[in-house]
Structures are given as structure tokens and as C-alpha cells.
Amino acid sequence: VQLVESGGGLVQAGGSLRLSCAASGITPSMGEITMGWFRQAPGKERELVATITRGARTNYADSVKGRFTISRDNAKNTVYLQMNSLKPEDAAVYYCNVEGRRPFDTPRTWWGQGTQVTVSS
């Protein structure tokens, strides 16, 4: 599986950015595919931002609820993250994540290379 991210950059506080992640190499044998975004700021651990299942069930970190929206195009195996009302504390490297989960099997995870989001105050 290869993940190609785009859309990061520099934005002023209060602004918006949209991240995209296109996945290739996903096959039905990988099971239920959940796609998502994580982020890692300098000196901090990588943390979950949002995930979305094929059936569009979403999960958000409390810190981004109401400001970020995750969506997914199953036909294109692409996941998006619309980020509004950005705050300086949202600045981080954002990583695309794909998880394949099959019954009675250990989940497999793939990561993108990361895209930098910088928010100026």
C-alpha cells in the first residue's frame, strides 16, 4: 500500500487547509479498511486526529471536534481532512493512516510520509 499526501502548508490562525491522501494497492483481501489522520508536533507523541470507516463512521480527537471534518471517497481510495479555524496548536506533521482489519487477524497499518501544517499566530 502506498499513501500519497498533499495539501499541507502555512496558514494564519483562523484559516483553513484541506489535506488529501490517495491510497494505492488496497485490495479486498485486506479486510475492513479504516482511513485516518494522525499528527505529531515537535517533542510530542503522534496522536489521532480523525478516522473514518468505509461506511463513513467517523471518530475525532476532542481537540478538533467541530473544526475538522474527515471524509472519504471509497471509489478513489482517498481520504480528506478539512481543517477550519486552525490554531497554532494544530501545527504538526500530519500523517495519513490506513488500517486493514480482518476477522481473527492482527490489524495491519500503513503510513504516509507526512505533510507539514504550520499555523502562524
Side-chain angles (χ1 to χ4, degrees):
V1 174
Q2 289 189 323
L3 306 177
V4 179
E5 300 146 336
S6 60
L10 172 64
V11 65
Q12 288 188 331
S16 298
L17 281 175
R18 188 188 193 217
L19 305 183
S20 299
C21 173
S24 60
I26 291 180
T27 65
S29 66
M30 294 167 59
E32 174 65 28
I33 299 295
T34 297
M35 304 183 78
W37 294 92
F38 288 68
R39 67 186 181 187
Q40 188 167 19
K44 295 187 177 181
E45 293 187 353
R46 191 172 297 188
E47 63 177 3
L48 179 146
V49 176
T51 62
I52 184 168
T53 67
R54 182 176 291 275
R57 186 172 69 250
T58 58
N59 180 44
Y60 292 94
D62 288 343
S63 59
V64 306
K65 284 180 180 177
R67 300 188 298 120
F68 291 11
T69 302
I70 191 169
S71 60
R72 173 173 172 171
D73 185 332
N74 290 326
K76 296 181 179 179
N77 283 327
T78 299
V79 62
Y80 307 95
L81 186 68
Q82 178 66 44
M83 303 185 293
N84 298 330
S85 302
L86 281 160
K87 304 175 181 179
E89 52 263 44
D90 293 318
V93 177
Y94 283 69
Y95 294 92
C96 179
N97 171 273
V98 167
E99 180 188 83
R101 185 179 292 268
R102 301 185 303 183
F104 313 110
D105 198 2
T106 302
R108 296 182 65 188
T109 302
W110 294 266
W111 294 94
Q113 79 283 0
T115 185
Q116 179 71 49
V117 171
T118 303
V119 183
S120 63
S121 57

